[in-house]
Amino acid sequence: MRTLVDIPDEDIEKLDALAKRHGKSRAAEIREAIRMHLVQNADNKDWIRRGAGYWKHRSDIGDAVEYQRALREDRTPYEDL
């Protein structure tokens, strides 16, 4: 699809510099920006999948539920163990 968009000259200069630095065309940079914008603003639960398991290798937390309870109660996790 082709479209016509008004972009301020200052933004065009920055876009051209970015495209040159990446070795891409202006159009390629705009397509990438649109793609990233759509991904970041999608109404789906991909963020859950991306974030799942971030703390699985942490050995200082122990039981995650107990850790959360301790934080909510404003106490040091596992201080009563």
Side-chain angles (χ1 to χ4, degrees):
M1 178 190 100
R2 291 188 180 267
T3 187
L4 179 63
V5 179
D6 288 323
I7 301 174
D9 291 338
E10 178 181 308
D11 290 344
I12 291 292
E13 291 173 11
K14 292 176 183 177
L15 180 62
D16 286 344
L18 183 66
K20 184 177 181 180
R21 193 166 57 242
H22 290 158
K24 297 180 181 178
S25 68
R26 180 190 293 172
E29 288 292 344
I30 291 171
R31 285 191 295 270
E32 177 75 17
I34 291 171
R35 190 174 306 112
M36 288 174 50
H37 179 73
L38 293 173
V39 167
Q40 291 174 355
N41 292 285
D43 283 338
N44 58 34
K45 304 295 182 198
D46 280 348
W47 61 272
I48 293 173
R49 183 180 50 78
R50 287 192 314 267
Y54 274 176
W55 289 17
K56 68 182 174 185
H57 299 296
R58 297 267 311 259
S59 60
D60 61 322
I61 294 175
D63 180 56
V65 175
E66 170 55 28
Y67 186 81
Q68 291 173 28
R69 286 183 182 136
L71 291 177
R72 289 182 185 130
E73 295 169 6
D74 197 27
R75 63 179 168 85
T76 303
Y78 312 115
E79 69 183 12
D80 55 340
L81 296 179

